[in-house]
Amino acid sequence: MAEVDKRRTVDVRSDTVTRPTAEMRRAMAEAEVGDDVYGEDPSINRLEQRAAEIFGRDAAIFVPTGTMGNQIAIKIHTRPGQEVICEERGHIYNYEMAMLAHFSGCVVRPIYAEDGALTWTGIKKRIAPGIYYRAQTGLISLENTHNMAGGTVYPQQAADEICDHAHEAGIPVHLDGARIFNAAAASGRSVAEITKKFDSVMFCLSKGLGAPVGSMLVGSRKFIDMARIYRKALGGGMRQAGVLAAAGLIALEKGPKRLHEDHANAKFMAEELVKIPSLKLDAAKVQTNILVFDISGTGMDSAAVTRKLGERGVLAAGISPEAMRFVTHMDVSRDDCAHAISAMHEVCTGAGRAAGS
Ligand SMILES: Cc1ncc(COP(=O)(O)O)c(C=O)c1O
């Protein structure tokens, strides 16, 4: 394999690292704005209306981050002292600063599921019995695609079944759909269809869709009216936020159309990484833009591999000492992927070092 070009930088740490396009920057500079706390920002209003239309819902609200969107939804759906069921590696449980406890006064009832996809059979056994001395299950929250399980897409039937049975039991279901457009691109279904049975959906503009800032929460009119109250309470009333919505609108309209490129790039990397004997990865399971793979066979931990990749111009991230994650996005080309693979090859096999690396 050719020695890697060290002058180049490829950032596969996350799809959150993208820079706004020239078109987004222009739209931001020219955005029509007003005070969004008064409901007077035309760009924000347009973005919220488009998000609601695309998801086939009554209403939507712009929030600064996916974390705020998820936590507002959890607050609305639950009461203090309840449990929230989610997958063990879920974002709301592991990466949202225990706000579920802090802000909503709930605890997580985590359930592990292969590929991150819970089933009703798995959930049913963990719903609290309806007796007064047990904390009650207030909410089920699913994640599609599932980030830490490797960008996996929820089997539609499993998600629909969970929603149907949960609703029969009087339990609402929230979707952390930070990357729901990736799930739609991979499954060939619309986001409206994938998400129609959920009580609320959060999705991010600032990940694969490429906006610099922002996420959306969609749901019923009543739910979004409540969300507006909690967004303000959390300090998320942002005044002339139309400068952000202008980029968000471009991300929403144009971003989904190119996600298949990121998926093809991730597949390409997976098929190359499996050729490195010290790495463990099932390329057939790579469905979207995220690769999670085991590096324990290299004899190094992820901090060492990350450092060595960094020396070769590849920014990557460990998710545990034994596992790493690569994420493709609009600022990573096929050529960049090839560069990351060469670097990984060099780090794992030592190939190329004799030539002076
Ligand atoms: C699955 C998932 N949900 C929610 C979030 C939170 O988004 P934000 O970083 O905008 O708070 C992320 C961020 O990486 C995520 O991966």
Side-chain angles (χ1 to χ4, degrees):
M1 206 171 252
E3 195 186 338
V4 295
D5 173 3
K6 291 184 194 128
R7 290 159 305 179
R8 175 171 192 161
T9 301
V10 176
D11 194 343
V12 288
R13 287 171 301 168
S14 175
D15 47 10
T16 57
V17 301
T18 58
R19 307 290 205 278
T21 60
E23 184 187 11
M24 285 178 188
R25 289 177 190 271
R26 246 187 337 267
M28 292 171 83
E30 292 163 8
E32 259 189 291
V33 295
D35 190 330
D36 182 47
V37 174
Y38 298 152
E40 291 172 2
D41 189 299
S43 302
I44 288 280
N45 292 343
R46 211 171 303 132
L47 174 62
E48 291 179 347
Q49 193 185 337
R50 276 302 287 143
E53 276 166 18
I54 289 169
F55 281 76
R57 300 293 180 123
D58 292 350
I61 185 169
F62 180 74
V63 284
T65 63
T67 300
M68 190 188 285
N70 280 335
Q71 293 304 323
I72 288 172
I74 293 167
K75 178 76 181 168
I76 295 170
H77 289 306
T78 59
R79 290 197 314 276
Q82 290 188 322
E83 293 187 351
V84 176
I85 288 178
C86 76
E87 204 278 331
E88 197 174 291
R89 291 160 292 172
H91 198 276
I92 62 162
Y93 180 34
N94 296 283
Y95 303 99
E96 299 194 4
M97 315 301 291
M99 272 297 274
L100 192 150
H102 193 140
F103 184 49
S104 297
C106 292
V107 292
V108 171
R109 173 71 59 184
I111 307 175
Y112 178 82
E114 184 71 23
D115 300 330
L118 298 172
T119 61
W120 177 250
T121 316
I123 289 174
K124 190 168 61 174
K125 296 181 276 209
R126 312 298 291 277
I127 289 178
I131 41 182
Y132 83 90
Y133 50 84
R134 291 287 302 271
Q136 294 298 289
T137 305
L139 177 68
I140 296 166
S141 184
L142 310 184
E143 188 173 310
N144 191 14
T145 64
H146 195 299
N147 181 354
M148 286 300 152
T152 46
V153 178
Y154 233 97
Q156 194 58 37
Q157 200 187 336
D160 287 348
E161 237 172 64
I162 291 169
C163 291
D164 288 341
H165 288 293
H167 291 153
E168 281 165 23
I171 300 168
V173 191
H174 171 68
L175 179 65
D176 175 350
R179 297 181 179 81
I180 196 63
F181 284 94
N182 294 87
S187 66
R189 294 184 162 101
S190 71
V191 289
E193 186 188 347
I194 297 178
T195 63
K196 67 173 186 286
K197 287 181 186 267
F198 289 85
D199 297 274
S200 53
V201 182
M202 185 286 290
F203 74 93
C204 295
L205 297 163
S206 62
K207 297 201 166 60
L209 303 187
V213 179
S215 292
M216 308 295 300
L217 194 51
V218 298
S220 68
R221 168 68 55 199
K222 188 167 161 229
F223 176 87
I224 296 301
D225 286 348
M226 286 298 293
R228 213 167 285 286
I229 294 169
Y230 286 119
R231 183 186 69 172
K232 187 70 176 74
L234 288 171
M238 293 187 292
R239 310 296 176 182
Q240 286 72 29
V243 289
L244 303 177
L249 268 163
I250 293 168
L252 183 59
E253 302 295 356
K254 300 202 168 163
K257 297 190 179 96
R258 54 156 308 286
L259 291 175
H260 62 278
E261 293 172 34
D262 297 343
H263 297 181
N265 281 339
K267 196 78 173 170
F268 163 74
M269 288 215 280
E271 283 163 359
E272 291 300 316
L273 286 175
V274 294
K275 296 178 188 164
I276 302 175
S278 53
L279 302 181
K280 236 191 288 163
L281 162 79
D282 185 349
K285 284 196 172 179
V286 175
Q287 295 171 282
T288 61
N289 67 328
I290 300 179
L291 313 168
V292 171
F293 52 96
D294 188 307
I295 56 150
S296 50
T298 64
M300 293 176 274
D301 64 9
S302 60
V305 173
T306 300
R307 184 174 49 74
K308 285 169 187 269
L309 284 174
E311 288 164 4
R312 290 161 176 80
V314 177
L315 304 179
I319 61 169
S320 73
E322 303 84 31
M324 292 192 63
R325 187 184 72 154
F326 281 3
V327 186
T328 57
H329 51 78
M330 71 183 196
D331 289 348
V332 168
S333 65
R334 177 59 63 96
D335 240 28
D336 291 332
C337 293
H339 174 77
I341 294 300
S342 301
M344 198 64 188
H345 198 274
E346 200 173 284
V347 168
C348 296
T349 66
R353 278 194 203 134
S357 60

